[in-house]
Amino acid sequence: MTDVSNRPRTWWENGSVSASLLTVVVLAGSLASDKWVPNSQLTLPLLISTAVAALVAAAGIPRLKALKVGQVIRVEGPQAHQSKAGTPTMGGLLVVPVGTIIGGLISLEGTAAQQLLAVSTITLGYMVIGGFDDWRSLTRQTNTGLTPRGKLLLQSLMGVLFLAVAAWQGWISSSVSLPFDWSLPIGWLIWPLGLFVFLAESNATNLTDGLDGLASGCGALVFLGMAVQLMLRGHTGDPALAGFCMAMAGAWLGFLMHNRHPARAFMGDTGSLAMGAALSGVALLSNSLWPLLVMGGVFLAESLSVIIQVWVFKATKGPDGQGRRVFRMAPLHHHFELGGTSERAVVPCFWLVTAGFVLLGLLLRPTI
């Protein structure tokens, strides 16, 4: 691995500068939508949520330190990460409720209010699952909390409850909207697909949460993209869910002020699972599975890198128990780290790639 510790830092590798630029980009996106898209009111929930989340995190992080909820770093990870041991985790407990409460107040009557309640509930439900997982990791002083099977079971139960309510209310379409006026009718398959989306997206955001500010920055951008594409879809869009997305984007921007490099706190599974659940709930209720797939391209790449790494290693494992590896280390961000790219550079690059996917998702948004 190339030693980059003594290399001069570029301006965009400064955590404060890159986080500030990202915040400006998200704010500019919401302002542009409010100016040029009819009925768009995205900036107010963004600003309120960002300010409240930043203040709550500032007050709460010292409490997390006092409770000694310090992150346990896995031994197999990059050695440079060992210095992060003891940094407070479970930061999602501080900001996820901020986003869901502010987002849930976007509409207080009718179907919109009911859908916001459902999305807020699934988001908080996954936060609780993540919190339980984080707490078990802390009490056991290992990097593993719940067993993979146990975590998937709890995630599945929450997802099934959400989908059952949505089916009862008739909120989810049996076809998937695509660009160019296309639509993919899949009938009853939307229900297993919906459960898969909850499991895949929440675990993808969980895997992305491996570097300071990486998941929070990418999440803020994807929530922005989901909100804007909903407003651009006109009568088929959903202003209430768009406002919820902006409240969640603000929550992660507020947290990013403390989570940027060098991080004062990590979101933990508490935050990362909740992020994926919120994105999945919004996508299912607004027929935005395609935009989420495109805009969450970094989340997808992180997941695929782990799947490919494990599959190839097992397929090529010899009598000595060793197999081939496609990546230096998975998830994908560690591959670049071990290739000599500093964490400070990997994170803004992944943000930039996410911004590109968001723009692509807006260009290829569904029209029906």
Side-chain angles (χ1 to χ4, degrees):
M1 183 180 72
T2 306
D3 182 14
V4 295
S5 58
N6 297 319
R7 179 177 59 81
R9 304 292 182 191
T10 57
W11 61 268
W12 54 277
E13 290 180 86
N14 182 300
S16 298
V17 173
S18 57
S20 298
L21 286 174
L22 178 68
T23 302
V24 169
V25 167
V26 175
L27 178 58
S30 67
L31 288 170
S33 178
D34 289 353
K35 180 176 177 59
W36 287 300
V37 181
N39 301 319
S40 178
Q41 297 179 348
L42 304 182
T43 304
L44 185 58
L46 173 69
L47 291 176
I48 294 174
S49 186
T50 300
V52 174
L55 291 173
V56 170
I61 289 172
R63 296 300 305 157
L64 293 178
K65 288 183 179 179
L67 293 172
K68 301 186 185 302
V69 288
Q71 178 70 46
V72 179
I73 306 297
R74 65 187 179 111
V75 178
E76 315 86 59
Q79 289 304 303
H81 287 210
Q82 296 305 314
S83 62
K84 300 182 181 185
T87 302
T89 187
M90 298 180 73
L93 278 176
L94 304 174
V95 298
V96 170
V98 172
T100 55
I101 291 171
I102 294 174
L105 294 174
I106 297 295
S107 179
L108 299 176
E109 57 184 23
T111 301
Q114 296 173 353
Q115 291 188 345
L116 290 175
L117 178 60
V119 176
S120 297
T121 301
I122 190 71
T123 302
L124 293 173
Y126 271 63
M127 182 194 75
V128 171
I129 296 171
F132 187 48
D133 187 33
D134 285 335
W135 187 253
R136 284 178 64 90
S137 296
L138 293 167
T139 54
R140 294 180 174 187
Q141 283 298 295
T142 67
N143 193 249
T144 54
L146 293 169
T147 63
R149 182 177 297 179
K151 186 189 291 188
L152 283 174
L153 177 61
L154 291 173
Q155 290 172 287
S156 298
L157 287 174
M158 286 298 303
V160 167
L161 287 173
F162 177 91
L163 292 169
V165 172
W168 177 43
Q169 297 290 341
W171 288 339
I172 296 180
S173 172
S174 60
S175 62
V176 177
S177 291
L178 299 171
F180 313 116
D181 294 329
W182 294 345
S183 180
L184 180 64
I186 59 175
W188 63 268
L189 290 176
I190 189 64
W191 306 111
L193 175 61
L195 181 58
F196 172 79
V197 169
F198 273 116
L199 299 178
E201 191 68 25
S202 61
N203 285 292
T205 49
N206 183 223
L207 290 170
T208 306
D209 181 33
L211 299 179
D212 295 356
L214 179 56
S216 50
C218 290
L221 288 167
V222 176
F223 275 115
L224 168 68
M226 292 290 285
V228 173
Q229 66 89 24
L230 280 173
M231 296 313 305
L232 288 173
R233 287 165 70 177
H235 69 282
T236 62
D238 193 315
L241 288 176
F244 178 87
C245 285
M246 294 311 296
M248 292 303 300
W252 293 120
L253 286 182
F255 184 65
L256 184 62
M257 297 181 184
H258 309 279
N259 181 233
R260 60 173 176 75
H261 189 84
R264 294 181 55 223
F266 302 137
M267 70 171 68
D269 287 14
T270 310
S272 59
L273 292 184
M275 179 188 293
L279 287 169
S280 301
V282 169
L284 285 164
L285 293 183
S286 62
N287 204 343
S288 299
L289 292 178
W290 168 257
L292 178 59
L293 177 66
V294 177
M295 295 179 183
V298 164
F299 299 146
L300 177 62
E302 295 274 41
S303 287
L304 289 178
S305 69
V306 173
I307 294 169
I308 293 169
Q309 186 88 324
V310 172
W311 184 82
V312 171
F313 184 85
K314 289 183 176 180
T316 60
K317 186 163 62 174
D320 60 352
Q322 296 298 312
R324 295 178 57 189
R325 288 180 171 84
V326 177
F327 304 100
R328 301 180 186 96
M329 183 179 289
L332 188 61
H333 52 262
H334 289 325
H335 171 77
F336 291 104
E337 271 194 291
L338 295 185
T341 306
S342 71
E343 176 180 2
R344 296 173 184 238
V346 172
V347 171
C349 284
F350 273 48
W351 290 349
L352 186 61
V353 172
T354 298
F357 279 128
V358 166
L359 289 174
L360 181 62
L362 292 175
L363 290 173
L364 298 179
R365 67 185 182 277
T367 52
I368 58 174

